[in-house]
Amino acid sequence: MSNMSRRNFILTLGASASAALLAGCNTSKNSSTSSDTVSTDVVDPGGYTLVEDGKLTVAAELGFAPFEYMDETTGEPVGFDVDLIKAVAEKLGLEASYLPNQKFDTLVPLVKQGGKCDVAIAGITITDERREEVDFSDPYLDSNQAIVVKKDSGETEESLNAAGKKVACQSGTTGDEWITENLADAERVPLDDVTAALTGVSTGLYDAMVIDLPVASWMLTKSFSDLEVAKEIPTGEQYGIAVSKENVGLAVAISSALQSMETDGTMKKIKTEWFGSEI
């Protein structure tokens, strides 16, 4: 099965370990929880370690709107993933704290290394290769890929798979892998910055970009009206929160928090705020 096939991801644990860890994830009331988004049911923050007591230290690539990007006014990270991980942290009785901006392809190695962050979240697709390096929470969002081209260019998947064509992507992403597997005759152009890649398509430097569909839809609506999605690629991806394999209890606790957010309406509220509907 392809790496981009749909993942019905299940966090695998030994039966005895699961029982022991989940037994420590009882719920309690926390009167200090002060968000309209997050309910006051808090998952007990036991059974795992943290880089800094009382904080959930987060690594992300902060140029992936609408999931995470820097607010030009405040200089603080904002986005769907930012609101989600803050809500998860509150469920655990913690405060989310972001590291400085990281390159996307360094996120999984950073989590695996340990010591600098507790989790990474940045529209990270759960794949077999990544699961060899880190654990993941339960999936929190489904996604496909998109081929973005200049309007009226007439470019298609077939026309792009030719010598002389340049197709951009974000380095280390599933879009990067898709180009390698499906547009072998084109020149793949991996970049760190999504905006720079889309700008390159807009100016004619690149013939197309392959990027996550929710990001493409957001960016084309907000900033690139001269571009269009030539094709939605049904890769059936699922995003997850990356956690060290040495910190299994944290993955369990985060999945419990995500389940609670689905039940109490927190997830629906965050999705509606950023995407206009519960996608």
Side-chain angles (χ1 to χ4, degrees), residues 184-278:
D185 292 334
E187 179 184 348
R188 178 180 57 85
V189 185
L191 302 168
D192 290 330
D193 187 83
V194 169
T195 301
L198 289 173
T199 299
V201 178
S202 180
T203 60
L205 181 62
Y206 312 124
D207 297 288
M209 181 183 187
V210 177
I211 185 174
D212 293 27
L213 180 62
V215 178
S217 299
W218 173 275
M219 295 292 281
L220 269 56
T221 299
K222 299 292 183 181
S223 305
F224 292 94
S225 59
D226 61 329
L227 304 181
E228 64 183 357
V229 174
K231 181 179 180 179
E232 177 178 346
I233 307 166
T235 52
E237 300 173 46
Q238 293 183 304
Y239 295 163
I241 301 168
V243 184
S244 169
K245 286 184 176 291
E246 303 300 317
N247 209 3
V248 177
L250 182 57
V252 173
I254 289 173
S255 293
S256 295
L258 290 172
Q259 183 178 15
S260 176
M261 289 162 60
E262 289 284 0
T263 301
D264 67 20
T266 300
M267 187 70 77
K268 179 179 180 180
K269 183 172 182 179
I270 296 173
K271 287 180 177 179
T272 301
E273 178 178 348
W274 283 102
F275 301 112
S277 63
E278 189 181 5

Coordinates of all heavy atoms in Angstrom, one line a residue, residues 184-278:
A184 N 7.8 11.7 -12.5 CA 9.2 11.3 -12.5 C 10.0 12.1 -13.6 O 11.2 12.3 -13.5 CB 9.4 9.8 -12.7
D185 N 9.3 12.5 -14.7 CA 10.0 13.1 -15.8 C 10.1 14.6 -15.6 O 10.9 15.3 -16.3 CB 9.2 12.9 -17.1 CG 9.3 11.5 -17.5 OD1 10.2 10.8 -17.2 OD2 8.3 11.0 -18.2
A186 N 9.4 15.2 -14.6 CA 9.5 16.6 -14.3 C 10.6 16.9 -13.3 O 11.2 15.9 -12.7 CB 8.2 17.1 -13.7
E187 N 11.0 18.1 -13.2 CA 12.0 18.5 -12.2 C 11.3 18.9 -10.9 O 10.5 19.8 -10.9 CB 12.8 19.7 -12.7 CG 13.9 20.2 -11.7 CD 14.6 21.4 -12.1 OE1 14.5 21.8 -13.3 OE2 15.3 22.0 -11.3
R188 N 11.6 18.1 -9.9 CA 11.0 18.4 -8.6 C 11.8 19.5 -7.9 O 13.1 19.4 -7.8 CB 11.0 17.1 -7.7 CG 10.5 17.2 -6.3 CD 10.6 15.9 -5.6 NE 12.0 15.4 -5.6 CZ 12.9 15.7 -4.7 NH1 12.6 16.5 -3.7 NH2 14.1 15.1 -4.8
V189 N 11.1 20.5 -7.3 CA 11.8 21.6 -6.7 C 11.4 21.7 -5.3 O 10.4 22.3 -4.9 CB 11.5 22.9 -7.4 CG1 12.4 24.1 -6.8 CG2 11.8 22.8 -8.9
P190 N 12.1 21.1 -4.3 CA 11.7 21.1 -2.9 C 12.2 22.4 -2.3 O 13.3 22.9 -2.5 CB 12.5 19.9 -2.3 CG 13.7 19.7 -3.2 CD 13.3 20.2 -4.6
L191 N 11.3 23.1 -1.6 CA 11.6 24.4 -0.9 C 11.1 24.3 0.5 O 10.3 23.5 0.9 CB 10.8 25.5 -1.6 CG 11.1 25.7 -3.1 CD1 10.1 26.6 -3.7 CD2 12.5 26.2 -3.3
D192 N 11.7 25.2 1.4 CA 11.3 25.2 2.8 C 10.0 26.0 3.0 O 9.2 25.7 3.9 CB 12.4 25.9 3.6 CG 13.6 25.0 3.7 OD1 13.4 23.8 3.7 OD2 14.7 25.6 3.8
D193 N 9.7 27.0 2.1 CA 8.6 28.0 2.3 C 7.5 27.8 1.3 O 7.7 27.9 0.1 CB 9.2 29.4 2.2 CG 8.2 30.4 2.6 OD1 8.1 30.7 3.8 OD2 7.5 31.0 1.7
V194 N 6.3 27.6 1.9 CA 5.1 27.4 1.0 C 4.8 28.6 0.2 O 4.5 28.6 -1.0 CB 3.9 27.0 1.9 CG1 2.6 27.0 1.1 CG2 4.1 25.6 2.5
T195 N 4.8 29.8 0.9 CA 4.5 31.0 0.2 C 5.5 31.3 -1.0 O 5.1 31.7 -2.1 CB 4.5 32.2 1.2 OG1 3.6 32.0 2.2 CG2 4.2 33.5 0.5
A196 N 6.8 31.0 -0.8 CA 7.7 31.2 -1.8 C 7.5 30.3 -3.0 O 7.6 30.7 -4.2 CB 9.1 31.0 -1.3
A197 N 7.0 29.1 -2.7 CA 6.7 28.1 -3.8 C 5.5 28.6 -4.6 O 5.5 28.5 -5.8 CB 6.5 26.7 -3.2
L198 N 4.5 29.0 -3.9 CA 3.3 29.5 -4.6 C 3.6 30.7 -5.4 O 3.0 31.0 -6.5 CB 2.1 29.7 -3.6 CG 1.5 28.4 -3.0 CD1 0.5 28.7 -1.9 CD2 0.8 27.6 -4.1
T199 N 4.4 31.6 -4.8 CA 4.8 32.8 -5.5 C 5.5 32.5 -6.8 O 5.3 33.1 -7.9 CB 5.7 33.7 -4.6 OG1 4.9 34.1 -3.5 CG2 6.1 35.0 -5.4
G200 N 6.4 31.4 -6.7 CA 7.1 31.0 -7.9 C 6.1 30.5 -9.0 O 6.4 30.7 -10.2
V201 N 5.1 29.8 -8.6 CA 4.1 29.4 -9.6 C 3.4 30.6 -10.2 O 3.1 30.7 -11.4 CB 3.0 28.4 -9.0 CG1 2.0 28.0 -10.0 CG2 3.7 27.2 -8.4
S202 N 3.1 31.6 -9.4 CA 2.4 32.8 -9.8 C 3.2 33.6 -10.8 O 2.7 34.1 -11.8 CB 2.0 33.7 -8.6 OG 1.4 34.8 -9.0
T203 N 4.5 33.6 -10.6 CA 5.4 34.4 -11.5 C 5.9 33.6 -12.7 O 6.6 34.2 -13.5 CB 6.6 34.9 -10.7 OG1 7.3 33.8 -10.1 CG2 6.2 35.8 -9.5
G204 N 5.6 32.3 -12.7 CA 6.0 31.5 -13.8 C 7.4 30.8 -13.6 O 7.9 30.1 -14.5
L205 N 8.0 31.0 -12.4 CA 9.2 30.3 -12.2 C 9.1 28.8 -12.1 O 10.0 28.1 -12.5 CB 9.8 30.9 -10.8 CG 11.1 30.3 -10.4 CD1 12.3 30.7 -11.4 CD2 11.5 30.8 -9.0
Y206 N 7.9 28.4 -11.6 CA 7.6 27.0 -11.5 C 6.3 26.8 -12.3 O 5.4 27.7 -12.4 CB 7.4 26.5 -10.1 CG 8.5 26.9 -9.2 CD1 8.3 27.6 -8.0 CD2 9.9 26.6 -9.5 CE1 9.3 28.1 -7.2 CE2 10.9 27.0 -8.7 CZ 10.6 27.7 -7.5 OH 11.7 28.1 -6.7
D207 N 6.1 25.6 -12.8 CA 4.9 25.3 -13.6 C 3.7 24.9 -12.7 O 2.6 25.0 -13.1 CB 5.2 24.1 -14.6 CG 6.2 24.6 -15.6 OD1 5.9 25.4 -16.5 OD2 7.3 24.1 -15.5
A208 N 4.0 24.4 -11.5 CA 3.0 23.9 -10.6 C 3.6 23.7 -9.2 O 4.8 23.7 -9.0 CB 2.4 22.6 -11.1
M209 N 2.7 23.5 -8.2 CA 3.1 23.1 -6.9 C 2.2 22.0 -6.4 O 1.0 22.0 -6.7 CB 3.1 24.2 -5.9 CG 3.5 23.8 -4.5 SD 3.4 25.2 -3.3 CE 4.2 24.3 -1.8
V210 N 2.7 21.0 -5.7 CA 1.9 20.0 -5.1 C 1.9 20.2 -3.6 O 3.0 20.3 -3.0 CB 2.4 18.5 -5.4 CG1 1.6 17.5 -4.6 CG2 2.4 18.3 -6.9
I211 N 0.7 20.4 -3.0 CA 0.6 20.8 -1.6 C -0.7 20.3 -1.0 O -1.6 19.9 -1.7 CB 0.6 22.4 -1.6 CG1 0.6 22.9 -0.1 CG2 -0.5 22.9 -2.4 CD1 0.8 24.4 -0.1
D212 N -0.7 20.2 0.3 CA -2.0 19.7 1.0 C -3.2 20.6 0.6 O -3.1 21.8 0.6 CB -1.8 19.8 2.5 CG -0.8 18.8 3.0 OD1 0.2 18.5 2.3 OD2 -0.8 18.5 4.2
L213 N -4.3 19.9 0.3 CA -5.4 20.6 -0.3 C -6.0 21.7 0.7 O -6.3 22.8 0.2 CB -6.5 19.6 -0.6 CG -7.9 20.2 -1.1 CD1 -7.6 20.9 -2.4 CD2 -8.9 19.1 -1.3
P214 N -6.1 21.5 2.0 CA -6.6 22.5 2.9 C -5.8 23.8 2.8 O -6.3 24.9 2.9 CB -6.6 21.9 4.3 CG -6.7 20.4 4.0 CD -5.9 20.2 2.8
V215 N -4.4 23.6 2.7 CA -3.5 24.8 2.6 C -3.7 25.5 1.3 O -3.7 26.7 1.2 CB -2.1 24.3 2.8 CG1 -1.1 25.5 2.7 CG2 -1.9 23.6 4.2
A216 N -3.8 24.7 0.2 CA -4.0 25.3 -1.1 C -5.3 26.1 -1.1 O -5.3 27.2 -1.6 CB -4.0 24.2 -2.2
S217 N -6.3 25.5 -0.6 CA -7.6 26.2 -0.7 C -7.6 27.6 0.1 O -8.1 28.6 -0.3 CB -8.7 25.4 0.0 OG -8.9 24.2 -0.8
W218 N -6.9 27.5 1.3 CA -6.8 28.7 2.1 C -5.9 29.8 1.4 O -6.3 30.9 1.3 CB -6.1 28.3 3.4 CG -5.8 29.5 4.3 CD1 -4.6 30.2 4.3 CD2 -6.5 30.1 5.4 NE1 -4.6 31.2 5.2 CE2 -5.8 31.1 5.9 CE3 -7.8 29.8 5.9 CZ2 -6.2 31.9 7.0 CZ3 -8.3 30.6 6.9 CH2 -7.5 31.6 7.5
M219 N -4.7 29.4 0.9 CA -3.8 30.3 0.3 C -4.4 30.9 -1.0 O -4.2 32.1 -1.2 CB -2.5 29.6 0.0 CG -1.7 29.2 1.3 SD -1.1 30.5 2.3 CE 0.3 31.0 1.4
L220 N -5.1 30.1 -1.8 CA -5.6 30.7 -3.0 C -6.7 31.6 -2.7 O -6.9 32.6 -3.5 CB -6.1 29.5 -3.9 CG -5.0 29.0 -4.9 CD1 -3.8 28.5 -4.2 CD2 -5.7 27.8 -5.7
T221 N -7.5 31.4 -1.7 CA -8.6 32.3 -1.3 C -8.0 33.6 -0.8 O -8.5 34.7 -1.1 CB -9.5 31.7 -0.3 OG1 -10.1 30.5 -0.9 CG2 -10.6 32.7 0.1
K222 N -7.0 33.5 0.1 CA -6.4 34.7 0.8 C -5.4 35.5 0.0 O -5.4 36.7 0.1 CB -5.8 34.2 2.1 CG -6.7 33.5 3.1 CD -7.8 34.5 3.6 CE -8.7 33.7 4.6 NZ -9.7 34.6 5.2
S223 N -4.5 34.8 -0.8 CA -3.4 35.6 -1.3 C -3.1 35.3 -2.8 O -2.3 36.1 -3.4 CB -2.1 35.2 -0.5 OG -2.3 35.4 0.9
F224 N -3.6 34.2 -3.4 CA -3.1 33.9 -4.7 C -4.4 33.7 -5.6 O -4.6 32.5 -6.1 CB -2.3 32.7 -4.7 CG -0.9 32.9 -4.0 CD1 -0.8 32.6 -2.7 CD2 0.1 33.4 -4.7 CE1 0.4 32.8 -2.0 CE2 1.4 33.6 -4.1 CZ 1.5 33.3 -2.8
S225 N -5.1 34.7 -5.9 CA -6.3 34.6 -6.7 C -6.0 34.3 -8.2 O -6.9 33.9 -8.9 CB -7.1 35.9 -6.7 OG -6.4 37.0 -7.1
D226 N -4.7 34.4 -8.6 CA -4.4 34.1 -10.0 C -4.0 32.6 -10.1 O -3.7 32.2 -11.2 CB -3.2 34.9 -10.4 CG -1.9 34.7 -9.6 OD1 -2.1 34.4 -8.4 OD2 -0.8 34.9 -10.1
L227 N -4.1 31.8 -9.0 CA -3.8 30.4 -9.1 C -5.1 29.6 -8.9 O -6.1 30.1 -8.5 CB -2.8 30.0 -8.0 CG -1.4 30.7 -8.0 CD1 -0.5 30.2 -6.9 CD2 -0.7 30.7 -9.4
E228 N -5.0 28.3 -9.3 CA -6.1 27.4 -9.2 C -5.7 26.0 -8.9 O -4.5 25.6 -9.2 CB -7.0 27.5 -10.4 CG -6.4 26.9 -11.7 CD -7.3 27.0 -12.9 OE1 -8.4 27.5 -12.7 OE2 -6.8 26.7 -14.0
V229 N -6.6 25.2 -8.3 CA -6.3 23.8 -8.2 C -6.6 23.0 -9.4 O -7.8 23.0 -9.8 CB -7.1 23.2 -7.0 CG1 -6.9 21.7 -6.9 CG2 -6.7 23.9 -5.7
A230 N -5.6 22.5 -10.1 CA -5.8 21.8 -11.3 C -6.4 20.4 -11.1 O -7.2 19.9 -11.9 CB -4.6 21.7 -12.1
K231 N -6.0 19.8 -9.9 CA -6.5 18.5 -9.6 C -6.4 18.2 -8.1 O -5.3 18.6 -7.5 CB -5.7 17.4 -10.4 CG -6.1 16.0 -10.1 CD -5.3 15.0 -10.9 CE -5.8 13.5 -10.6 NZ -5.1 12.5 -11.4
E232 N -7.4 17.7 -7.5 CA -7.3 17.2 -6.2 C -6.9 15.7 -6.3 O -7.5 14.9 -7.0 CB -8.7 17.2 -5.5 CG -8.7 16.7 -4.1 CD -10.0 16.8 -3.4 OE1 -10.9 17.5 -3.8 OE2 -10.2 16.1 -2.3
I233 N -5.8 15.4 -5.5 CA -5.2 14.0 -5.6 C -5.7 13.3 -4.3 O -5.4 13.7 -3.2 CB -3.7 14.1 -5.5 CG1 -3.2 15.0 -6.6 CG2 -3.1 12.7 -5.6 CD1 -1.7 15.4 -6.5
P234 N -6.5 12.3 -4.5 CA -7.2 11.6 -3.4 C -6.2 10.6 -2.6 O -6.2 9.4 -2.7 CB -8.3 10.8 -4.0 CG -7.8 10.5 -5.4 CD -7.0 11.7 -5.8
T235 N -5.3 11.2 -1.9 CA -4.3 10.5 -1.2 C -4.8 9.9 0.2 O -4.2 9.0 0.7 CB -3.0 11.3 -0.9 OG1 -3.4 12.5 -0.3 CG2 -2.3 11.6 -2.2
G236 N -5.9 10.5 0.7 CA -6.5 9.9 1.9 C -5.6 10.0 3.1 O -5.5 9.1 3.9
E237 N -4.9 11.1 3.3 CA -3.9 11.3 4.4 C -4.7 11.7 5.7 O -5.8 12.2 5.6 CB -2.9 12.4 4.0 CG -2.1 12.0 2.8 CD -1.2 13.2 2.3 OE1 -0.5 13.8 3.2 OE2 -1.2 13.5 1.1
Q238 N -4.0 11.4 6.8 CA -4.5 11.8 8.1 C -3.4 12.5 8.9 O -2.3 12.0 8.9 CB -5.0 10.6 8.8 CG -6.3 10.0 8.2 CD -6.9 8.9 9.0 OE1 -6.2 7.9 9.3 NE2 -8.1 9.0 9.4
Y239 N -3.7 13.6 9.5 CA -2.7 14.3 10.3 C -2.7 13.8 11.7 O -3.8 13.5 12.3 CB -3.1 15.8 10.4 CG -3.0 16.6 9.1 CD1 -3.6 17.8 8.9 CD2 -2.2 16.1 8.0 CE1 -3.5 18.5 7.8 CE2 -2.2 16.8 6.8 CZ -2.8 18.0 6.7 OH -2.7 18.8 5.5
G240 N -1.5 13.7 12.3 CA -1.4 13.3 13.7 C -0.4 14.2 14.5 O 0.4 14.9 13.8
I241 N -0.4 14.1 15.8 CA 0.5 14.8 16.6 C 1.7 13.9 16.9 O 1.5 12.8 17.5 CB -0.1 15.4 17.9 CG1 -1.3 16.3 17.5 CG2 0.9 16.1 18.8 CD1 -2.2 16.6 18.7
A242 N 2.9 14.3 16.6 CA 4.1 13.4 16.8 C 4.6 13.5 18.2 O 4.7 14.6 18.7 CB 5.2 13.8 15.8
V243 N 4.9 12.3 18.8 CA 5.4 12.2 20.1 C 6.5 11.2 20.1 O 6.5 10.2 19.4 CB 4.3 11.7 21.1 CG1 4.7 11.7 22.5 CG2 3.0 12.6 21.0
S244 N 7.5 11.3 21.0 CA 8.6 10.4 21.1 C 8.1 9.0 21.5 O 7.2 8.8 22.3 CB 9.6 10.9 22.1 OG 10.6 9.9 22.4
K245 N 8.8 8.0 20.9 CA 8.5 6.6 21.3 C 8.8 6.3 22.7 O 8.4 5.3 23.3 CB 9.2 5.6 20.3 CG 8.6 5.6 19.0 CD 9.3 4.5 18.1 CE 8.7 4.3 16.8 NZ 7.4 3.7 16.9
E246 N 9.7 7.2 23.3 CA 10.1 7.0 24.7 C 9.0 7.6 25.7 O 9.2 7.6 26.9 CB 11.4 7.7 25.0 CG 12.6 7.2 24.1 CD 12.8 5.7 24.3 OE1 12.8 5.2 25.5 OE2 13.0 5.0 23.3
N247 N 8.0 8.2 25.1 CA 7.0 8.9 25.9 C 5.6 8.5 25.5 O 4.7 9.3 25.2 CB 7.2 10.5 25.7 CG 6.7 11.3 26.9 OD1 6.4 10.7 27.9 ND2 6.8 12.6 26.8
V248 N 5.4 7.2 25.5 CA 4.1 6.6 25.0 C 2.9 7.1 25.8 O 1.9 7.4 25.3 CB 4.2 5.1 25.1 CG1 2.9 4.5 24.7 CG2 5.3 4.5 24.2
G249 N 3.1 7.3 27.1 CA 2.0 7.8 27.9 C 1.5 9.2 27.5 O 0.3 9.5 27.6
L250 N 2.4 10.0 26.9 CA 1.9 11.3 26.4 C 1.0 11.1 25.2 O 0.0 11.8 25.0 CB 3.1 12.2 26.1 CG 2.8 13.6 25.6 CD1 1.9 14.4 26.6 CD2 4.1 14.4 25.3
A251 N 1.4 10.2 24.3 CA 0.6 9.9 23.1 C -0.8 9.5 23.5 O -1.8 9.9 22.9 CB 1.2 8.9 22.2
V252 N -0.9 8.6 24.5 CA -2.1 8.1 25.0 C -3.0 9.2 25.6 O -4.2 9.4 25.3 CB -1.9 7.0 26.1 CG1 -3.2 6.6 26.7 CG2 -1.3 5.8 25.5
A253 N -2.3 10.1 26.4 CA -3.0 11.2 27.0 C -3.5 12.2 26.0 O -4.7 12.7 26.1 CB -2.1 11.9 28.0
I254 N -2.7 12.5 25.0 CA -3.2 13.4 23.9 C -4.3 12.8 23.1 O -5.3 13.5 22.8 CB -2.0 13.7 23.0 CG1 -1.0 14.6 23.7 CG2 -2.5 14.4 21.7 CD1 0.3 14.8 22.9
S255 N -4.3 11.5 22.8 CA -5.4 10.9 22.1 C -6.7 11.0 23.0 O -7.8 11.2 22.5 CB -5.1 9.5 21.8 OG -4.1 9.4 20.8
S256 N -6.6 10.8 24.3 CA -7.7 10.9 25.2 C -8.3 12.3 25.2 O -9.5 12.6 25.2 CB -7.3 10.5 26.6 OG -6.9 9.2 26.7
A257 N -7.4 13.3 25.1 CA -7.8 14.7 25.1 C -8.5 15.0 23.7 O -9.5 15.7 23.7 CB -6.6 15.7 25.2
L258 N -8.0 14.5 22.6 CA -8.7 14.7 21.3 C -10.0 14.1 21.3 O -11.0 14.6 20.8 CB -7.8 14.1 20.2 CG -6.5 14.8 19.9 CD1 -5.7 13.9 18.9 CD2 -6.7 16.2 19.3
Q259 N -10.2 12.9 21.9 CA -11.5 12.2 22.0 C -12.4 13.1 22.8 O -13.6 13.2 22.5 CB -11.3 10.8 22.6 CG -12.7 10.1 22.7 CD -12.5 8.7 23.3 OE1 -11.5 8.4 23.9 NE2 -13.5 7.8 23.1
S260 N -12.0 13.6 23.9 CA -12.8 14.5 24.8 C -13.2 15.7 24.0 O -14.4 16.2 24.1 CB -12.0 14.9 26.0 OG -12.8 15.8 26.8
M261 N -12.3 16.3 23.2 CA -12.7 17.5 22.4 C -13.7 17.2 21.3 O -14.5 18.0 21.0 CB -11.4 18.0 21.7 CG -10.4 18.7 22.7 SD -8.7 18.9 22.1 CE -9.0 19.9 20.7
E262 N -13.7 16.0 20.8 CA -14.7 15.5 19.8 C -16.1 15.5 20.5 O -17.1 15.9 20.0 CB -14.4 14.2 19.2 CG -13.2 14.2 18.2 CD -13.5 14.8 16.9 OE1 -14.7 15.2 16.7 OE2 -12.7 14.9 16.0
T263 N -16.0 14.9 21.7 CA -17.3 14.7 22.5 C -17.9 16.0 22.9 O -19.2 16.2 22.8 CB -17.0 13.8 23.7 OG1 -16.5 12.5 23.2 CG2 -18.3 13.5 24.4
D264 N -17.1 16.9 23.4 CA -17.7 18.1 24.0 C -17.9 19.3 23.1 O -18.3 20.4 23.5 CB -16.8 18.6 25.3 CG -15.4 19.1 24.9 OD1 -15.2 19.4 23.7 OD2 -14.6 19.1 25.8
G265 N -17.5 19.1 21.8 CA -17.8 20.1 20.8 C -16.6 21.1 20.6 O -16.7 21.9 19.7
T266 N -15.5 20.9 21.3 CA -14.3 21.7 21.1 C -13.8 21.6 19.7 O -13.5 22.6 19.1 CB -13.3 21.4 22.2 OG1 -13.8 21.6 23.5 CG2 -12.0 22.3 22.0
M267 N -13.6 20.4 19.2 CA -13.1 20.2 17.9 C -13.9 20.8 16.8 O -13.4 21.5 15.9 CB -12.9 18.7 17.7 CG -12.1 18.4 16.4 SD -10.4 18.8 16.5 CE -9.8 17.4 17.4
K268 N -15.2 20.6 16.9 CA -16.2 21.2 16.0 C -16.0 22.7 15.9 O -16.0 23.3 14.8 CB -17.6 20.8 16.3 CG -18.6 21.4 15.3 CD -20.0 21.0 15.7 CE -21.0 21.6 14.7 NZ -22.4 21.1 15.1
K269 N -15.9 23.3 17.1 CA -15.8 24.8 17.2 C -14.5 25.3 16.5 O -14.5 26.3 15.7 CB -15.8 25.3 18.6 CG -15.8 26.8 18.8 CD -16.0 27.2 20.2 CE -16.0 28.7 20.3 NZ -16.3 29.1 21.7
I270 N -13.4 24.6 16.7 CA -12.1 25.0 16.1 C -12.1 24.8 14.6 O -11.7 25.7 13.9 CB -10.9 24.2 16.8 CG1 -10.8 24.6 18.3 CG2 -9.6 24.6 16.1 CD1 -9.8 23.7 19.0
K271 N -12.7 23.7 14.2 CA -12.7 23.4 12.7 C -13.6 24.5 12.0 O -13.3 25.0 11.0 CB -13.3 22.0 12.5 CG -12.3 20.9 12.8 CD -12.9 19.6 12.5 CE -11.9 18.5 12.7 NZ -12.4 17.1 12.5
T272 N -14.8 24.8 12.7 CA -15.7 25.8 12.1 C -15.0 27.2 12.0 O -15.2 27.9 11.0 CB -17.0 25.8 12.9 OG1 -17.6 24.5 12.9 CG2 -18.0 26.8 12.3
E273 N -14.3 27.5 13.0 CA -13.6 28.8 13.1 C -12.6 29.0 11.9 O -12.6 30.0 11.3 CB -12.9 29.0 14.4 CG -12.2 30.4 14.5 CD -11.5 30.6 15.9 OE1 -11.8 29.8 16.8 OE2 -10.7 31.5 16.0
W274 N -11.9 27.9 11.6 CA -10.8 28.1 10.6 C -11.2 27.7 9.2 O -10.6 28.2 8.3 CB -9.6 27.2 11.1 CG -8.9 27.9 12.2 CD1 -8.9 27.7 13.5 CD2 -8.0 29.1 12.1 NE1 -8.1 28.6 14.2 CE2 -7.6 29.4 13.4 CE3 -7.5 29.8 11.0 CZ2 -6.7 30.5 13.6 CZ3 -6.7 30.9 11.2 CH2 -6.3 31.2 12.5
F275 N -12.2 26.8 9.1 CA -12.5 26.3 7.8 C -14.0 26.6 7.4 O -14.4 26.3 6.3 CB -12.3 24.8 7.7 CG -10.9 24.3 8.0 CD1 -10.6 23.6 9.2 CD2 -9.9 24.7 7.2 CE1 -9.3 23.2 9.4 CE2 -8.6 24.3 7.4 CZ -8.3 23.6 8.6
G276 N -14.7 27.2 8.3 CA -16.1 27.6 8.0 C -17.1 26.5 8.1 O -18.3 26.7 8.0
S277 N -16.6 25.3 8.3 CA -17.5 24.1 8.5 C -16.6 23.0 9.2 O -15.4 23.1 9.3 CB -18.0 23.6 7.2 OG -17.0 23.1 6.4
E278 N -17.3 22.0 9.7 CA -16.6 20.9 10.3 C -16.1 19.9 9.3 O -16.8 19.0 8.9 CB -17.5 20.2 11.3 CG -16.7 19.2 12.2 CD -17.6 18.4 13.2 OE1 -18.9 18.7 13.1 OE2 -17.1 17.6 14.0

